[in-house]
Amino acid sequence: MTKGIKKDDQVMVIAGKDKGHVGRVINVQPDKGRLMVDGAARAKRHERVGGKRAKGSGQQIQQGGIVDIELFIDVSNVQLVCPSCGKPTRIGHEGEGKERSRICRKCGASV
């Protein structure tokens, strides 16, 4: 369950080491209740040189080194930022059936 947060929404991290960070949702795992926010929850990963060498050139296909990767965070640690009022807010729903839309709980505008 993702609390109505979708891919490409602007969210604010409200808990954890990146508290206060505002970023765009890159990826969502609704079955696990986790999502990935651009620029938040980064970790360093040590990559080894891999791939096959091209014949004669001696170049590697993949470069090794330390790279930053983004991790999934729990959906309960983020809040949607309303595009009209610019504040982090909870999401409400308005309408019935297929015509259901998300609304901001603070200003009432459609999200």
Side-chain angles (χ1 to χ4, degrees), residues 19-55:
K19 183 176 179 178
H21 177 79
V22 177
R24 188 176 58 86
V25 176
I26 299 172
N27 197 353
V28 179
Q29 293 178 336
D31 54 330
K32 295 182 180 177
R34 299 180 76 75
L35 49 88
M36 191 180 291
V37 179
D38 188 26
R42 291 189 162 205
K44 300 231 183 250
R45 183 174 175 95
H46 297 264
E47 294 282 335
R48 63 184 287 190
V49 177
K52 294 187 178 182
R53 291 186 179 160
K55 248 185 180 175

